[in-house]
């Protein structure tokens, strides 16, 4: 089954609009700053179509904002009826848009990951840490030892028995 191509501009525009609507009433400014800063990286990924780093940073930022959005919702959502009038239409609209943004972020991350692969990124994300590979071409077999002049005389000793200066 072919995965439909979603434009990166559409993803950034949708999350920009949902972030504006979500931060209208009840969320703190850290929610807006976090989401808008990641959307700026998304604009960078749109502007540089060949940059693998831009789309990878946008993907990692989107994954990070999923976590921070959950924290914001759990800390700042009103728990009792006295703290905020539940009949307030602005609050309900803002909360709904923020929650909708959070719900579609994993889908957006999937499509951004597909764009990362299309731009030439690895299938596995590499953070620069050393890893174990199964590339056996670099190994040398111990069954077949090559005889060389350096291995025939490993300690650089003279063959005729003269004692001379040794070089180690």
């Amino acid at each position: 089954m072919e995965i439909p191509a979603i434009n990166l501009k559409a993803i950034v525009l949708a999350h920009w609009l949902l972030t504006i609507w979500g931060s209208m009433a009840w969320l703190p400014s850290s929610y807006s700053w976090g989401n808008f800063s990641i959307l700026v990286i998304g604009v960078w990924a749109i502007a540089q179509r060949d940059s693998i780093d831009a789309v990878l940073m946008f993907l990692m930022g989107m994954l990070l904002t999923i976590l921070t959005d959950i924290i914001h919702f759990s800390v700042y959502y009103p728990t009792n009826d006295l703290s905020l009038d539940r009949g307030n239409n602005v609050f309900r609209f803002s909360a709904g848009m923020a929650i909708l943004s959070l719900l579609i972020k994993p889908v957006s991350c999937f499509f951004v990951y597909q764009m990362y692969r299309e731009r030439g990124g690895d299938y596995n994300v590499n953070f620069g840490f050393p890893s174990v590979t199964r590339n056996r071409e670099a190994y040398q077999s111990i069954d077949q030892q090559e005889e060389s002049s350096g291995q025939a005389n490993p300690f650089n000793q003279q063959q005729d028995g003269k004692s001379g200066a040794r070089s180690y």
Side-chain angles (χ1 to χ4, degrees):
M1 182 175 160
E2 185 70 24
I3 298 171
I6 302 293
N7 195 352
L8 188 60
K9 293 176 188 176
I11 292 172
V12 170
L13 180 67
H15 284 288
W16 176 76
L17 190 61
L18 290 172
T19 301
I20 286 176
W21 287 341
S23 59
M24 282 175 30
W26 60 285
L27 285 168
S29 61
S30 60
Y31 172 82
S32 300
W33 278 103
N35 282 296
F36 284 133
S37 62
I38 297 306
L39 292 175
V40 167
I41 296 173
V43 170
W44 173 40
I46 291 169
Q48 291 188 345
R49 294 188 180 269
D50 297 334
S51 177
I52 297 171
D53 293 334
V55 76
L56 179 64
M57 285 181 63
F58 182 59
L59 175 63
M60 292 299 133
M62 288 287 283
L63 290 171
L64 186 65
T65 58
I66 290 172
L67 177 67
T68 59
D69 287 355
I70 291 170
I71 292 170
H72 278 109
F73 295 166
S74 63
V75 170
Y76 289 103
Y77 197 83
T79 56
N80 56 7
D81 291 335
L82 298 176
S83 65
L84 184 64
D85 182 20
R86 295 262 181 199
N88 189 354
N89 291 333
V90 175
F91 169 76
R92 288 189 296 155
F93 179 76
S94 176
M97 293 302 109
I99 292 170
L100 180 63
S101 175
L102 176 63
L103 289 176
I104 66 170
K105 276 185 183 179
V107 176
S108 298
C109 288
F110 175 74
F111 287 118
V112 171
Y113 181 69
Q114 294 297 326
M115 290 173 209
Y116 170 70
R117 287 178 33 190
E118 288 173 4
R119 291 188 183 189
D122 295 330
Y123 283 98
N124 54 352
V125 178
N126 185 8
F127 292 107
F129 298 120
S131 62
V132 178
T133 62
R134 293 192 170 249
N135 184 6
R136 298 186 187 264
E137 295 174 4
Y139 294 115
Q140 190 176 23
S141 175
I142 60 172
D143 293 337
Q144 301 173 354
Q145 294 181 353
E146 296 179 14
E147 293 294 326
S148 66
S149 62
Q151 287 184 357
N153 193 1
F155 297 110
N156 199 13
Q157 295 175 351
Q158 295 178 350
Q159 296 294 333
D160 57 359
K162 296 180 185 175
S163 64
R166 295 182 183 177
S167 63
Y168 289 102

